[in-house]
Amino acid sequence: MTARATLKPKLEIQVAVLDQRLTSLETRNESVPVRLTTLEQRFEHMSDQLEELNEGQHKLTTVVSGIGTKITWALAVASTLWAVLQMIGPTLLRLVFP
């Protein structure tokens, strides 16, 4: 009878541990969709931010390209005027100061 008496509390303890583990597992599994939903929301938010960053980078590239084109034209005009001035300048100075 003592063997049965010690077996019953062990069995009750094992059942209680098993019940607690199942409850814990259910709780964790119930929270998984919430975590996945949160991760999906964060991913979508980051994806939107990356799209906005890409659009901004495209606009910036366009502006910088336009500025580069204007600077190229300005340098071309300035160098052309400088070359013309170097060719015509001495002749004009001789006419003005004989």
Side-chain angles (χ1 to χ4, degrees):
M1 190 129 164
T2 58
R4 282 190 170 193
T6 58
L7 183 62
K8 188 176 180 183
K10 275 186 174 181
L11 189 60
E12 287 178 359
I13 291 171
Q14 288 177 352
V15 169
V17 168
L18 185 62
D19 185 43
Q20 185 214 1
R21 287 182 181 169
L22 283 174
T23 304
S24 175
L25 185 63
E26 286 176 358
T27 304
R28 273 191 262 145
N29 283 339
E30 288 174 358
S31 66
V32 168
V34 173
R35 286 186 287 177
L36 288 178
T37 304
T38 304
L39 288 174
E40 288 172 349
Q41 289 173 350
R42 288 181 183 172
F43 177 77
E44 288 175 2
H45 179 67
M46 287 183 173
S47 178
D48 292 342
Q49 286 180 335
L50 286 174
E51 287 177 11
E52 291 174 8
L53 183 63
N54 189 21
E55 291 173 6
Q57 186 177 8
H58 182 67
K59 289 178 184 177
L60 181 64
T61 302
T62 304
V63 168
V64 169
S65 177
I67 290 172
T69 303
K70 290 176 184 177
I71 289 174
T72 302
W73 278 100
L75 287 174
V77 169
S79 63
T80 304
L81 288 177
W82 183 252
V84 170
L85 184 62
Q86 284 181 341
M87 289 189 290
I88 299 176
T91 307
L92 290 176
L93 286 175
R94 284 188 197 131
L95 291 175
V96 174
F97 300 108

